[in-house]
Amino acid sequence: MADQIRIAIAGHGNLGRGVETAIPKNPDMKLVGIYTRRAPEMVTPSLAGTPVFSMADLPDHADRIDVLILCGGSKEDLPEQGPRLAALFNTVDSFDTHARIPEYFAAVDAAAQANGRTALISVGWDPGMFSINRVIGEALLPDGATYTFWGDGLSQGHSDAVRRVPGVTDAVQYTRPIPEAVDLVRSAARPVLTTREKHRRECFVVLMDGADAEAVRQAIVTMPHYFDEYDTEVHFISAEEMDENHRAMPHGGFVIRSGNTSSANAQVIEYSLKLDSNPEFTSAVLVAYARATHRLARMGQHGAKTVFDVAPGLLSPKSAAQLRAEQL
Amino acid sequence: MADQIRIAIAGHGNLGRGVETAIPKNPDMKLVGIYTRRAPEMVTPSLAGTPVFSMADLPDHADRIDVLILCGGSKEDLPEQGPRLAALFNTVDSFDTHARIPEYFAAVDAAAQANGRTALISVGWDPGMFSINRVIGEALLPDGATYTFWGDGLSQGHSDAVRRVPGVTDAVQYTRPIPEAVDLVRSAARPVLTTREKHRRECFVVLMDGADAEAVRQAIVTMPHYFDEYDTEVHFISAEEMDENHRAMPHGGFVIRSGNTSSANAQVIEYSLKLDSNPEFTSAVLVAYARATHRLARMGQHGAKTVFDVAPGLLSPKSAAQLRAEQL
């Protein structure tokens, strides 16, 4: 296609590989490059023929790329890369440190505005699709309550936290919503639920030789912020069992808005995701929003944006007339 | 509030009454009038003090109203009212004859464009929230299939069709999704389902004195388009039982997008509604979109629009900065 959207990837971890996998499913796009901090020859693209460049080449490639998808992490990579690259490219990223979104938005917005670029931040499923459903649910049912449940799924942040406990070689952590709480919310009862009543946590841990299992268990279940407010189960397993049963990255969850339109009538809205692969789904969301970013940039809507600023039709390759005729 | 959005209602049926109920739950809005084709003194507003006017007064009241919510029916009222009133007001309507949306859009668009107005058409839950989820689901998971299920719920169009059968005094029809089909779709199996495999229909009928029950049953279950492609159960009940058990208007359903991001990984997105009152929920959606319409009009985005053109943030009374800080 002559007018395919030229997409490039900055960073080749789980998310970058997910974007690579997603692009061929979108015929209006082509992948024009993978940019890495490693030596380019060390990176094997999953699609044969995709050129791999050094991240340092990016400033020279501004005219080759319509949208650059930033696939780095929120902790170390994006706070630096986001503003710097939004001065040079239209970008999409999955910045997910909720508490720091306002300052990240401001930094990216300043860079993008000053250079006539469009930068869509915090795209994915949470922040992202879940956020949209929280906002719409509250707007439709102002007299109501919103509940977000996560899981069953593997939490990367919590798995990392467990891996840092002395005596631990490897670990994964699963977040599980508590079925009784979910049922109560779905019944329109609008319960007030504590953190402990909504989710429980389950850890699978490989110990170092000679580590004290009970000390490790105590260190995990009492860890502030991560585990102390939850009921946490810890299972000790072998390295073999870890490799066999815990390498997939399933996740998901649901956003429920329960409200009343009148005293007689309760209404319940639920949005749910059941994901075999968390990073592949996040990448698929990034790719659809790259299409919207390209369109916003062409419409002259520059600066930082979020999913709240993107009309649903901009995500689809179909024209507005086709969407009205076929999908309204 | 000095800068409340001034909302008016055209048509005081179920939807109009639902809008009346919804407005007080939205402190940034006020209801400035109900316009009716009946004699205004025949209409009792549910909120004491709401002025009631004749529909004929509308052209003289253009400077009193920010957004006019059209609460008439899609069959008789909106095809005439929609274009005529979009020349005078910013409007929102729930036009739901799917097959005629393109021509309705064109007529409303011409009137609104020519007069610098913004007219949001086909707002509600289907068309409306379900449409958004069909479009976003397909954009996120292009390799996939979309399924829409309706119910359990009372279908007004089908109930009307049964009431027109000779020998019937009163009737209601419930649409029910078939649980086995729903489970199969949720499992990511992407089944191909016939109409009969997705939903069944259940009718509760009050017969006229002396009517032939078996003839009525036959006329219902073989009715083209409405019932012939479904398994339909017909129950004959008394007028008393009808009044006692079948006056509520529950509805709902779900949109499921099932797709693969890679051959190994299936992802399932589900949006579901469980509604005690179909018209009150539709009205709540109309009111939230009236806010967005007011904003689009102020931004100079004139002409006909659909839910596909409305960014989620425009539905919320909160500022973009507040949404980013609190709900992203």
Side-chain angles (χ1 to χ4, degrees), chain A residues 131 186 261 270 272 280 328, chain B residues 131 261 270 272 274 280 328:
Chain A
S131 320
R186 284 186 179 141
T261 46
E270 177 169 342
S272 78
E280 277 188 17
L328 198 58
Chain B
S131 320
T261 46
E270 177 169 343
S272 78
K274 206 176 74 192
E280 277 187 17
L328 197 56

Side-chain angles (χ1 to χ4, degrees), chain A residues 54-82:
Chain A
S54 161
M55 204 79 96
D57 294 330
L58 268 173
D60 296 330
H61 290 188
D63 60 349
R64 299 186 186 183
I65 296 167
D66 293 315
V67 182
L68 180 66
I69 302 183
L70 310 186
C71 298
S74 296
K75 212 167 171 181
E76 306 292 335
D77 305 324
L78 294 175
E80 182 275 318
Q81 288 176 0

Side-chain angles (χ1 to χ4, degrees), chain A residues 5-9 32-33 35 53 57-58 61-69 88-90 117 294:
Chain A
I5 306 171
R6 298 168 303 169
I7 305 286
I9 294 170
V32 297
Y35 294 79
F53 302 102
D57 294 330
L58 268 173
H61 290 188
D63 60 349
R64 299 186 186 183
I65 296 167
D66 293 315
V67 182
L68 180 66
I69 302 183
L88 301 169
F89 299 93
N90 302 315
R117 302 290 178 180
H294 181 60

